[in-house]
Structure formats: C-alpha cells, structure tokens
Amino acid sequence: MTVLPFELESFLSLQHQRPSIYKDLDCGFDLYIAKQGTEQEYQQLLQLVTKIFSELSASIKQQLEILDQMTDDVKESARISKEIQELEGQQWRTVVEYQQKMISTVFGQIDYTQECQELKKKRARIQGEIFDKMQELQAEMAEFEQ
C-alpha cells in the first residue's frame, strides 16, 4: 500500500474551494446585472475573488512543484492536476470575458448577446472537462490506497 502524498490531498482540498467561490461571484454578478447591486459592490467582489483565486493558484502551484520532484508513482496524478489547473485558468478567463461582454450588452454599450451565449457554452464545456479530470484524478489517487 502506497501512502497518498500530502500534496495531492492538499491539491484536492484547494481545488474543492473553487465552485463555491464561483457561485458567490455568479450571484454577485447576477445582482449587479439585475440592478440590485451597485457597480462598486460588483467590482469589490470581483477584486476579492481575483485575489482568492490568485492565492489558491499560487498554493496549488507550490503543491504541483513538489509533486514534480516525487517518485514516478505520482507523475500521472501530477499531470492530471496540472491539466485541471490549465482548465481552471481557461474557465476564469471565460468567466471574466463573459461578464465584461454581458455588462456591455445589459448597460447598452455594445450588444454581445451571441458571444455571451457562446461563452456560456464554453464555460459549461470547461466545467465538464474539469469534472472529468477530477474523476480521473480521484481514480488515480484511489490506487494509492490499495
């Protein structure tokens, strides 16, 4: 029986924080778009979420650097974890682009309705890929406990 590296457990713990942070951001954005929140409140929330994600990413990067230096039995888990991080970066960029274009559309600057629909689909696709990779990682990690 091989022991599950702390860094993988830490990665999962950090990774599981992201959905609730996105949910908070989405709720704040929806309030702003519905004119139930102010631009200042939305900007503060966006800055806070950006800071939190930056800190999470830095912590995860440290864990992945340590995993890279470990034995071959964790290389596959490290590879999958890196792929998840790349997908998370894509998701963040997609969310920011969607919100910027939606603000322009709702507040009458430029109509990006079609682009916003495409970005929503792209985000859903990325979320599905993240879910699949997380399942793959958990299956890989289960082998440590056998």
Side-chain angles (χ1 to χ4, degrees):
M1 179 172 153
T2 306
V3 177
L4 182 66
F6 168 78
E7 291 76 15
L8 281 176
E9 290 181 24
S10 180
F11 170 81
L12 278 181
S13 175
L14 293 167
Q15 184 61 29
H16 281 103
Q17 294 176 33
R18 290 183 189 272
S20 64
I21 297 168
Y22 272 118
K23 184 177 179 181
D24 290 345
L25 177 61
D26 290 341
C27 288
F29 178 72
D30 290 344
L31 287 173
Y32 173 54
I33 291 298
K35 300 178 182 167
Q36 296 174 1
T38 67
E39 181 178 2
Q40 182 179 9
E41 291 168 330
Y42 167 69
Q43 289 298 329
Q44 288 173 340
L45 176 61
L46 186 58
Q47 288 172 358
L48 176 62
V49 169
T50 300
K51 181 180 182 217
I52 291 169
F53 277 155
S54 177
E55 291 169 359
L56 273 176
S57 292
S59 295
I60 288 172
K61 184 179 178 184
Q62 288 177 337
Q63 301 305 319
L64 294 177
E65 286 172 359
I66 293 168
L67 285 174
D68 275 343
Q69 298 170 13
M70 291 187 162
T71 60
D72 287 341
D73 58 344
V74 294
K75 295 293 185 191
E76 182 64 11
S77 296
R79 182 193 62 76
I80 297 166
S81 299
K82 286 179 187 175
E83 289 176 1
I84 292 168
Q85 277 305 101
E86 290 171 16
L87 288 166
E88 286 292 356
Q90 290 176 28
Q91 179 176 208
W92 176 245
R93 289 184 297 278
T94 301
V95 166
V96 170
E97 183 180 359
Y98 167 79
Q99 289 185 358
Q100 290 172 339
K101 289 188 177 198
M102 193 63 160
I103 288 168
S104 291
T105 299
V106 169
F107 293 106
Q109 296 163 345
I110 300 174
D111 186 359
Y112 288 112
T113 303
Q114 184 64 38
E115 290 91 338
C116 288
Q117 291 303 316
E118 293 302 317
L119 288 166
K120 283 175 77 171
K121 290 177 188 175
K122 181 179 179 181
R123 181 181 183 189
R125 179 188 53 77
I126 293 168
Q127 287 172 327
E129 289 179 36
I130 291 169
F131 178 81
D132 291 346
K133 289 292 178 186
M134 288 293 290
Q135 295 292 100
E136 185 180 346
L137 179 61
Q138 289 172 340
E140 184 72 25
M141 291 170 65
E143 292 181 19
F144 284 99
E145 298 170 0
Q146 293 179 359

